[in-house]
Amino acid sequence: MTKEEVTMIGFEIVSFSGDARSKLLMALDKAKKGDFSECDKLIEDANECLVEAHNSQMDVMQKEASGEDLELGFIMVHAQDHLMTTLLLKDIIGTLIDVYRK
């Protein structure tokens, strides 16, 4: 896998993670307004984006685990950071939405 291919996967991860982040923040806004039907739909959409990000991440991890030498650049580092902060945001927003449901 070339550095350019790894970089493109990094961009995929950033894109999917960014979409998930936006949907999670919109879901929280819907929960504040009591629109839990739309909130739940946005959470589901965010989860689908996170699955896609994870699948992209796993593609790189599987290649490395199989012995392929990968050249990682800053884009992939940024992508991993973006994904992990979005996963943390998902946990925090889930707790906040539970508070609004009560």
Side-chain angles (χ1 to χ4, degrees):
M1 182 173 268
T2 67
K3 184 175 182 179
E4 290 78 21
E5 290 171 323
V6 173
T7 297
M8 292 309 295
I9 291 173
F11 282 128
E12 285 178 12
I13 294 169
V14 168
S15 178
F16 287 127
S17 298
D19 287 348
R21 182 182 186 279
S22 295
K23 291 175 188 313
L24 290 166
L25 292 171
M26 287 189 289
L28 180 58
D29 186 58
K30 294 295 182 182
K32 287 179 188 177
K33 296 174 181 172
D35 186 355
F36 294 106
S37 175
E38 185 62 23
C39 170
D40 293 340
K41 172 74 171 96
L42 287 162
I43 294 291
E44 183 180 317
D45 292 347
N47 285 332
E48 289 173 12
C49 291
L50 288 170
V51 166
E52 291 295 329
H54 177 73
N55 289 342
S56 295
Q57 178 189 49
M58 288 305 296
D59 185 40
V60 173
M61 291 175 67
Q62 287 171 341
K63 288 191 184 325
E64 185 174 37
S66 70
E68 190 170 331
D69 191 27
L70 304 176
E71 188 177 345
L72 302 177
F74 187 74
I75 298 296
M76 184 54 82
V77 172
H78 175 67
Q80 295 304 306
D81 181 51
H82 205 58
L83 176 56
M84 297 316 297
T85 57
T86 302
L87 290 170
L88 178 60
L89 181 67
K90 177 186 166 201
D91 293 341
I92 293 167
I93 285 180
T95 299
L96 290 171
I97 289 171
D98 287 345
V99 170
Y100 283 114
R101 283 188 200 275
K102 296 179 180 185

